[in-house]
Amino acid sequence: MAPKIIVLGSTGYIGSATVKTLAQQKANITAGVRDPSKAQELVNAGAKVIKADMGLKQTELASILANYDHLYVVTPGHIDRTNLTLNAIKAAKQANIKYILVVSIPPADNLNILFGRQFTPIEKELKSSGLTYGLLRLPMFVDNIWGNAEAIKTQNTFYGPIDGSKKFVTVAVQDAALAAAVILQNPTNHANKTYTLTSDFSSSDEQAQFYTQALGRTIKYVSGGYEATKQALLKFMPEWQVDGILELYKLVENQDASQTTFTNDFKKITGQEPTTHAKWMQQFSKAF
């Protein structure tokens, strides 16, 4: 019998892509969301949708999770995400979940950055919970180029804070979703494992070349510096999150191992080749 899977944090980038992938694969998938009325897209994809989010009281959340075998906790983009995720882990333990998969980041143990301070206690709690677990450490996304879609369409240019020659790892959302779907349906070989998923290792200048080839016109990268990037990102997200992202870019500038180590974890999990920037832009070229 197929395991009953529930995803908490189902409406974000990673959560929704994972739910849709599981639904496409005919898994027994339930999307836990804060407001089911805003999750019609997941229903249309074939998932069951219920009200279940990390902000519920631990006992209430545990009573919901007790109906499922495997749990995916997509750590939310919320300033209190540490406590929200800890609550979900503790509820999973109370519910005797058979397997729990949690999203983290490559520099999870770096207490010198905001995101590291947020994720360190999450990983510590998970590993000491007694639950059979998996950790998916996700770097910055290939898909972040969507934020530059208008600039590419109108100026043939995309922007960022760092020198264009600095190489760094990224992961495609669709790759993260597929890897999670594979693990959640059959976690036997993924017990107490930590994976760092990477799809590409390239510089912004190299990405400009990939986009040029995919779009058939010259695309260039321009470093606008940190302050200009911050002001641009503040249009889409809160300041704490922007500051955290800029700290990741500073790690890239310093060529920190957390941002420059390419792994084969995606292929090990799925048996497939990852979605590079070149492949991604070919796939979505009509939008640019």
Side-chain angles (χ1 to χ4, degrees):
M1 183 179 293
K4 296 177 69 177
I5 301 167
I6 183 168
V7 176
L8 295 182
S10 294
T11 55
Y13 245 1
I14 296 299
S16 62
T18 304
V19 168
K20 291 174 185 176
T21 299
L22 285 163
Q24 289 168 0
Q25 296 177 354
K26 307 302 181 184
N28 188 342
I29 174 62
T30 297
V33 300
R34 186 179 299 109
D35 184 354
S37 69
K38 297 180 179 179
Q40 188 59 43
E41 184 179 356
L42 300 180
V43 175
N44 295 342
K48 179 182 178 182
V49 174
I50 65 169
K51 178 177 174 56
D53 70 83
M54 293 173 238
L56 295 175
K57 290 183 179 179
Q58 183 181 319
T59 52
E60 184 179 357
L61 182 56
S63 68
I64 296 171
L65 298 181
N67 298 305
Y68 298 91
D69 301 306
H70 303 160
L71 166 65
Y72 188 24
V73 179
V74 183
T75 308
H78 189 285
I79 193 168
D80 197 31
R81 61 180 168 191
T82 302
N83 287 326
L84 290 169
T85 307
L86 292 178
N87 184 58
I89 294 170
K90 292 173 182 176
K93 183 174 182 178
Q94 186 177 337
N96 293 315
I97 282 286
K98 295 177 182 177
Y99 185 83
I100 177 173
L101 184 65
V102 178
V103 168
S104 187
I105 59 170
D109 54 357
N110 185 344
L111 295 176
N112 293 318
I113 63 170
L114 172 62
F115 290 173
R117 293 190 294 274
Q118 290 178 329
F119 280 93
T120 292
I122 291 172
E123 291 202 358
K124 183 178 180 181
E125 178 68 28
L126 183 65
K127 291 175 181 178
S128 64
S129 67
L131 293 165
T132 303
Y133 72 87
L135 272 166
L136 280 187
R137 289 180 166 182
L138 305 180
M140 289 187 278
F141 299 125
V142 172
D143 308 60
N144 287 348
I145 194 63
W146 282 120
N148 272 281
E150 189 62 27
I152 290 176
K153 285 190 287 186
T154 60
Q155 305 170 35
N156 293 322
T157 302
F158 66 102
Y159 299 88
I162 60 174
D163 185 292
S165 67
K166 299 288 187 179
K167 298 180 73 166
F168 57 102
V169 291
T170 46
V171 65
V173 169
Q174 63 198 52
D175 289 355
L178 179 58
V182 169
I183 292 171
L184 288 164
Q185 290 179 86
N186 186 12
T188 304
N189 296 325
H190 308 288
N192 304 327
K193 296 283 185 68
T194 298
Y195 296 110
T196 300
L197 298 183
T198 57
S199 302
D200 194 285
F201 177 51
S202 58
S203 68
S204 298
D205 286 342
E206 289 172 330
Q207 291 159 22
Q209 295 174 15
F210 302 148
Y211 301 158
T212 294
Q213 293 167 1
L215 299 177
R217 64 184 197 274
T218 301
I219 306 298
K220 63 181 180 179
Y221 168 76
V222 173
S223 174
Y226 283 90
E227 185 55 34
T229 301
K230 179 171 183 174
Q231 294 308 313
L233 291 176
L234 284 173
K235 297 175 183 177
F236 307 103
M237 58 187 73
E239 187 169 16
W240 71 268
Q241 195 168 20
V242 172
D243 289 342
I245 290 170
L246 294 181
E247 285 184 325
L248 295 181
Y249 276 113
K250 288 178 181 177
L251 291 180
V252 172
E253 274 207 310
N254 294 328
Q255 293 292 276
D256 186 87
S258 68
Q259 306 302 310
T260 59
T261 303
F262 185 87
T263 78
N264 289 316
D265 286 352
F266 173 75
K267 188 172 183 178
K268 288 178 185 176
I269 295 167
T270 67
Q272 298 186 22
E273 295 295 333
T275 305
T276 61
H277 279 273
K279 288 181 183 178
W280 190 97
M281 187 54 79
Q282 289 168 0
Q283 182 179 349
F284 295 103
S285 60
K286 291 183 179 179
F288 291 85

